[in-house]
Amino acid sequence: MRVLAFCFRFRANCATSKETRSVGPLTVIELRSALMCLIKIAQYESFNEELKLLRKEKCLRPSSSILSLNPFLDPDGIIRVGGRLNHSHFPYEKRHPILMSGKNYLSHLIALHEHIKLLHAGPQLLLSSLREQYWIVSGRNLVRKVVHACVKCFRSSPRFTNPIMGNLPSHRVRPSPPFHVSGVDYAGPFTIKDRKGRGCKTSKCYLCLFVCFSTKSVHLELVTDLTTEAFILAFRRFVARRGKPLHVYSDNGTNFVGANSEFLELGKFLQLNNSLISESNANEGINWHFIPSHSPHFGGLWEAGIKSSKYHLKRVVGNSILTFEELSTLLSQVEATLNSRPISPLSSDPNDLQPLTPAHFLIGRPMTALPDPDVTHISESRLSTFQRVQQFHQNLWKRWSLEYISELQQRTKWRSNRSELKTDTLVLIKEEHLPPYQWRLGRIVEVHPGSDGISRVASVRTNRGVLRRSFAKLCPLPLENDSISVP
């Protein structure tokens, strides 16, 4: 608008003498004249047919998109809304706003200017302010696009990218002994006292949770401190009671980084002891795996177990402080409760079998059980007592495959893959302990497809080097060209 106003002034100065030429800043009249000229051009592009009919004082076609607004031409040749507010006490600009198309780029510029002028107002306020002077056809969609494409608004409330839910890992859908493949996580701290009565001293303790990948069974251990020794002792207690696992998955420590100092403590423990834990268990024939950095949703199985454990503990303990023995006993009861939850839908038939629970797979399994032949198809009358027990155990796995596995088919969230990130995309990197305006900017240099061909992790170049993050921690910055096409 200012460029056009200067062009008009230059043209006027060329046609007048030096004494009457305009100098200095642009006047309000010059700016308004430039704006009206731009509006005429925009209306000619958007409402060319209606403009011709209005100039001839003819009625608009019934198919016209602006027929309901009763448009007319003002003395300057601008199309305005006739509307029904002619007898109101509002100013002329509000009673008869200038008609604009939401698809025209000038409308986008006007809306963007008003958005900034109103200190980055939201869609509702922005639209109501625009209608004081303009009536924009499809204006609601336009203001949403303007607000959505505003980088400053985006940085204050970033939107994350969630690729379609991936296929379940093979360890989740293949029969295996309970805890053969396990996940481990920490929760806490909790406060315990050294004895009952007055004068007792309090200290911190932590909950160490182990969860089975195939049966969702949980095992809870109470740990007194965040040291490698305490964790290895808890792990050995777990192995002694549940059997030695072949694979163990855990967070890598960075997932605990947050505003809470206790989470920082947990994160530092796992980060500093990653190699020690891995080496210690490698000697025992246990493969230890760590999920990607800053991606706690990759460990959703044990995160859900921690959430359920805390649910029961908060309601039972409340603000009470227990001794180590009391809290350890309570954890055992919580463990029994969690392992009694159904993992398949309940049947409405009263004569149906009990629902399948993790406890079915934990009771009666020898720690060093050898593989047995399949006896599920043999009649009970032909089986020995030992084979009957084995048939019962094998029937549990048959029910597991029929009832539980089928329930895992559904993608409960992230059902589509509409917002896949690509290389060279400018993104914000979520950092839990910082507000959004302080999140680092980066550019995707490589995406890493999974086994299903869908990328969920990307390498991002930042001012501190190249980082690898899951898509759930990346927010692609909106670009103006994504919201509106420029003629």
Side-chain angles (χ1 to χ4, degrees):
M1 187 175 69
R2 296 178 63 83
V3 171
L4 189 59
F6 274 118
C7 291
F8 284 164
R9 173 184 284 187
F10 179 78
R11 184 182 66 178
N13 286 341
C14 290
T16 58
S17 60
K18 292 184 179 181
E19 291 77 16
T20 57
R21 288 176 181 175
S22 299
V23 291
L26 294 170
T27 64
V28 175
I29 296 176
E30 288 175 323
L31 289 172
R32 180 168 178 77
S33 298
L35 177 60
M36 292 300 108
C37 181
L38 290 172
I39 289 173
K40 286 181 180 179
I41 296 172
Q43 289 184 341
Y44 178 81
E45 291 176 350
S46 303
F47 310 115
N48 188 16
E49 185 177 346
E50 288 86 350
L51 192 60
K52 291 178 181 178
L53 293 173
L54 289 173
R55 285 173 179 169
K56 297 177 182 179
E57 298 183 354
K58 293 183 178 180
C59 296
L60 301 183
R61 298 180 184 274
S63 59
S64 175
S65 60
I66 61 175
L67 180 63
S68 62
L69 299 173
N70 191 27
F72 70 94
L73 288 179
D74 68 2
D76 296 324
I78 302 292
I79 304 178
R80 291 183 177 270
V81 174
R84 305 174 64 192
L85 304 179
N86 196 39
H87 297 299
S88 67
H89 297 288
F90 292 114
Y92 179 80
E93 295 284 340
K94 184 175 178 65
R95 283 185 284 131
H96 304 293
I98 296 172
L99 195 59
M100 299 287 291
S101 170
K103 297 179 181 179
N104 193 277
Y105 190 59
L106 179 62
S107 302
H108 172 78
L109 292 177
I110 291 172
L112 180 60
H113 172 74
E114 195 71 14
H115 174 65
I116 298 171
K117 177 183 172 183
L118 295 175
L119 306 179
H120 297 271
Q124 193 67 25
L125 176 58
L126 178 57
L127 183 62
S128 63
S129 178
L130 286 171
R131 284 184 175 174
E132 295 293 319
Q133 298 183 49
Y134 307 95
W135 186 277
I136 301 176
V137 179
S138 302
R140 200 172 299 277
N141 292 333
L142 174 64
V143 296
R144 283 175 182 161
K145 288 180 180 178
V146 168
V147 175
H148 178 81
C150 178
V151 174
K152 286 192 174 181
C153 291
F154 175 86
R155 294 202 66 168
S156 65
S157 181
R159 292 174 294 276
F160 298 100
T161 299
N162 292 315
I164 187 172
M165 288 187 77
N167 297 324
L168 289 167
S170 59
H171 296 310
R172 290 286 307 277
V173 294
R174 290 181 181 176
S176 62
F179 296 104
H180 190 66
V181 181
S182 302
V184 61
D185 200 10
Y186 265 71
F190 303 97
T191 304
I192 56 173
K193 55 187 178 182
D194 59 348
R195 64 181 185 278
K196 294 183 179 180
R198 297 181 179 179
C200 61
K201 295 182 180 180
T202 60
S203 59
K204 294 179 183 178
C205 66
Y206 300 86
L207 166 63
C208 184
L209 175 139
F210 299 89
V211 60
C212 173
F213 270 42
S214 59
T215 65
K216 297 184 73 174
S217 306
V218 297
H219 178 93
L220 304 180
E221 287 287 344
L222 196 57
V223 184
T224 53
D225 55 45
L226 289 176
T227 61
T228 310
E229 291 79 9
F231 173 75
I232 291 176
L233 288 174
F235 186 73
R236 290 189 180 277
R237 293 196 297 273
F238 159 72
V239 170
R241 293 171 185 164
R242 303 300 186 186
K244 186 168 66 176
L246 180 62
H247 297 278
V248 179
Y249 291 80
S250 74
D251 291 342
N252 60 9
T254 55
N255 301 325
F256 291 103
V257 177
N260 191 325
S261 60
E262 304 297 347
F263 286 114
L264 281 170
E265 194 175 355
L266 281 170
K268 289 177 182 176
F269 162 69
L270 283 179
Q271 282 181 296
L272 294 173
N273 296 284
N274 276 357
S275 58
L276 291 174
I277 293 171
S278 298
E279 291 173 8
S280 172
N281 290 288
N283 297 330
E284 300 292 334
I286 299 171
N287 301 296
W288 204 280
H289 310 272
F290 295 100
I291 65 174
S293 304
H294 301 278
S295 307
H297 63 286
F298 276 54
L301 192 62
W302 54 79
E303 295 290 347
I306 289 291
K307 182 179 178 181
S308 300
S309 302
K310 286 182 176 179
Y311 174 89
H312 293 287
L313 285 173
K314 287 180 180 178
R315 281 155 180 77
V316 175
V317 177
N319 295 324
S320 303
I321 300 178
L322 306 179
T323 63
F324 183 90
E325 289 78 11
E326 290 171 337
L327 185 54
S328 182
T329 303
L330 179 59
L331 285 180
S332 298
Q333 294 173 327
V334 170
E335 176 188 301
T337 301
L338 296 180
N339 287 333
S340 300
R341 297 178 303 173
I343 60 174
S344 60
L346 296 173
S347 173
S348 58
D349 186 356
N351 298 317
D352 201 358
L353 294 169
Q354 292 182 350
L356 199 61
T357 67
H360 284 86
F361 300 93
L362 297 177
I363 298 174
R365 179 183 72 87
M367 294 298 181
T368 56
L370 296 174
D372 296 298
D374 185 10
V375 293
T376 56
H377 61 283
I378 303 176
S379 173
E380 284 191 22
S381 60
R382 297 173 53 196
L383 297 175
S384 65
T385 304
F386 172 75
Q387 288 176 326
R388 201 171 297 170
V389 174
Q390 295 307 113
Q391 187 186 61
F392 171 74
H393 189 259
Q394 291 170 2
N395 281 333
L396 289 179
W397 284 108
K398 191 172 183 180
R399 288 188 62 192
W400 176 82
S401 62
L402 292 175
E403 300 176 20
Y404 171 61
I405 286 295
S406 60
E407 291 299 311
L408 300 179
Q409 282 282 20
Q410 300 184 63
R411 287 182 163 93
T412 55
K413 56 182 178 178
W414 309 335
R415 301 176 184 179
S416 61
N417 201 40
R418 298 175 184 172
S419 53
E420 184 176 358
L421 296 179
K422 299 178 180 179
T423 54
D424 294 330
T425 303
L426 194 63
V427 295
L428 284 177
I429 304 172
K430 182 180 181 181
E431 299 182 49
E432 300 288 348
H433 58 293
L434 293 176
Y437 268 105
Q438 295 182 24
W439 292 353
R440 280 181 288 169
L441 282 170
R443 190 175 294 279
I444 294 178
V445 294
E446 186 180 1
V447 294
H448 308 283
S451 58
D452 55 359
I454 296 174
S455 302
R456 296 179 179 86
V457 180
S459 295
V460 185
R461 179 179 288 113
T462 69
N463 56 355
R464 300 181 190 174
V466 178
L467 307 174
R468 180 174 287 200
R469 292 289 184 272
S470 66
F471 281 11
K473 299 297 179 183
L474 301 178
C475 310
L477 283 174
L479 300 176
E480 285 191 7
N481 292 342
D482 295 338
S483 61
I484 191 167
S485 57
V486 183

